[in-house]
Amino acid sequence: MDPGIVCFQHCGPKVFCFSLPESCPVCKADLSEANFSLLPFRVPYPFVRASQYPCAVVIKPTSGDFLNDYYNSMDLHIGVTTSTGTIVEFDKNGLRRHRNGQWGQCLLLDQATSPWREHWDNTLLQVCKQKCWFARNYNEERHNCYTFVLTFLRTLDYGNLSKAASSRTIFCEKFIVPRTTSAGKYISLYRKLKDSGFCVHKTACK
Ligand SMILES: [Zn+2]
Ligand SMILES: [Zn+2]
C-alpha cells in the first residue's frame, strides 16, 4: 500500500526515491560513507484504510485508486464508516454496507470523537432508513453519494462538519480541496518516481 517514498539531502537539493541509491544522483558520491545534510526519512503516506477509521467521512476515486487513477476532484466518491469501521455508501447500486477492500486507499476528511459514536451510529441508521436511497433513486448529477453523506452530516449536527454540509460547494471547499491538494503532491511525486526512479528538487520544498 504505502510505496515508501524516501527523501534525503546530501549535497544540496532534496532527493526523493523509493529506496536509497548506492550513489547520490546529484554529485555521484558513494552514499554508504556519506554525510547527509538531511538524513533519509519516509515521506508520510497521506492515504488510509477506511475500515480502520470508525465514524469517519472518507473519499476515494470513483474507479481505481488515488496513486494510479486519480486526475481531478470531479470523479471522487464519498462514503462514511460506522463505529465498527463498516463502510456505508450510496451509488448506482443503492445503499451498501460492507467492509471490502475497495476503500483501502482513501483520504480521511474528518472523524467524530468517541463520545459521538453512539449518536453517529443512530443517526446513520435513521438516515439509511429513509426511502430515497434505493438504486432506482440514484442520479449521477442530483442524487448521488454526496447527497447521502451530506444529508447524514446535516442530520448529525456535528459542529463545523455539519455546518459545511449545508452545501456541496462549501463542503468541497472546506473539507475536500485541502486534502486532495496535499495528496496531489504525493501522487505526482509517486508517478514521477515510478517513471524515473528518483526525483531531485533543486528549490526548497515541503
Ligand atoms: Zn550528493
Ligand atoms: Zn459517488
Side-chain angles (χ1 to χ4, degrees), residues 62 76-78 90-91 138 144-146:
T62 306
L76 285 172
H77 180 58
I78 190 165
F90 176 61
D91 63 13
Y138 182 81
N144 53 31
C145 52
Y146 285 92

Side-chain angles (χ1 to χ4, degrees), residues 9 12-16 189 192 199-206:
Q9 246 173 317
K14 271 191 176 143
V15 180
F16 294 88
L189 184 58
K192 267 185 225 152
C199 175
V200 178
H201 283 207
K202 298 251 188 282
T203 50
C205 62
K206 278 158 265 161

Side-chain angles (χ1 to χ4, degrees), residues 13-66:
K14 271 191 176 143
V15 180
F16 294 88
C17 48
F18 286 126
S19 57
L20 210 58
E22 281 176 15
S23 57
C24 172
V26 184
C27 70
K28 311 296 174 206
D30 185 349
L31 286 180
S32 63
E33 48 200 38
N35 283 318
F36 290 95
S37 56
L38 175 67
L39 281 173
F41 70 93
R42 174 82 72 100
V43 178
Y45 179 67
F47 306 107
V48 300
R49 184 179 291 278
S51 55
Q52 290 172 343
Y53 290 79
C55 300
V57 185
V58 283
I59 48 168
K60 70 174 192 67
T62 306
S63 50
D65 64 33
F66 272 109

Side-chain angles (χ1 to χ4, degrees), residues 32-199:
S32 63
E33 48 200 38
N35 283 318
F36 290 95
S37 56
L38 175 67
L39 281 173
F41 70 93
R42 174 82 72 100
V43 178
Y45 179 67
F47 306 107
V48 300
R49 184 179 291 278
S51 55
Q52 290 172 343
Y53 290 79
C55 300
V57 185
V58 283
I59 48 168
K60 70 174 192 67
T62 306
S63 50
D65 64 33
F66 272 109
L67 287 181
N68 300 295
D69 310 296
Y70 175 71
Y71 285 95
N72 67 67
S73 58
M74 294 311 288
D75 53 45
L76 285 172
H77 180 58
I78 190 165
V80 296
T81 61
T82 67
S83 65
T84 55
T86 296
I87 293 136
V88 183
E89 59 178 316
F90 176 61
D91 63 13
K92 61 182 192 306
N93 302 305
L95 200 59
R96 286 183 298 137
R97 304 168 71 90
H98 61 82
R99 300 184 68 96
N100 73 34
Q102 283 162 15
W103 289 80
Q105 190 188 95
C106 56
L107 285 173
L108 180 67
L109 299 187
D110 205 1
Q111 188 180 25
T113 54
S114 18
W116 279 78
R117 293 202 172 156
E118 201 182 329
H119 175 59
W120 178 285
D121 277 351
N122 290 340
T123 309
L124 188 55
L125 204 63
Q126 187 192 324
V127 172
C128 288
K129 277 184 188 155
Q130 295 170 354
K131 301 270 183 271
C132 52
W133 313 119
F134 293 113
R136 62 167 187 273
N137 303 116
Y138 182 81
N139 178 293
E140 213 177 295
E141 300 294 316
R142 293 184 311 277
H143 195 71
N144 53 31
C145 52
Y146 285 92
T147 320
F148 170 68
V149 170
L150 297 186
T151 301
F152 163 64
L153 293 177
R154 284 195 301 267
T155 315
L156 186 70
D157 202 10
Y158 184 77
N160 289 337
L161 184 62
S162 295
K163 244 180 255 155
S166 61
S167 105
R168 181 170 165 178
T169 314
I170 295 174
F171 187 79
C172 285
E173 204 175 279
K174 296 244 159 85
F175 284 90
I176 298 183
V177 173
R179 271 69 163 188
T180 51
T181 306
S182 69
K185 290 178 191 157
Y186 189 94
I187 296 168
S188 56
L189 184 58
Y190 169 81
R191 291 178 187 167
K192 267 185 225 152
L193 293 182
K194 239 176 75 170
D195 283 348
S196 50
F198 63 88
C199 175

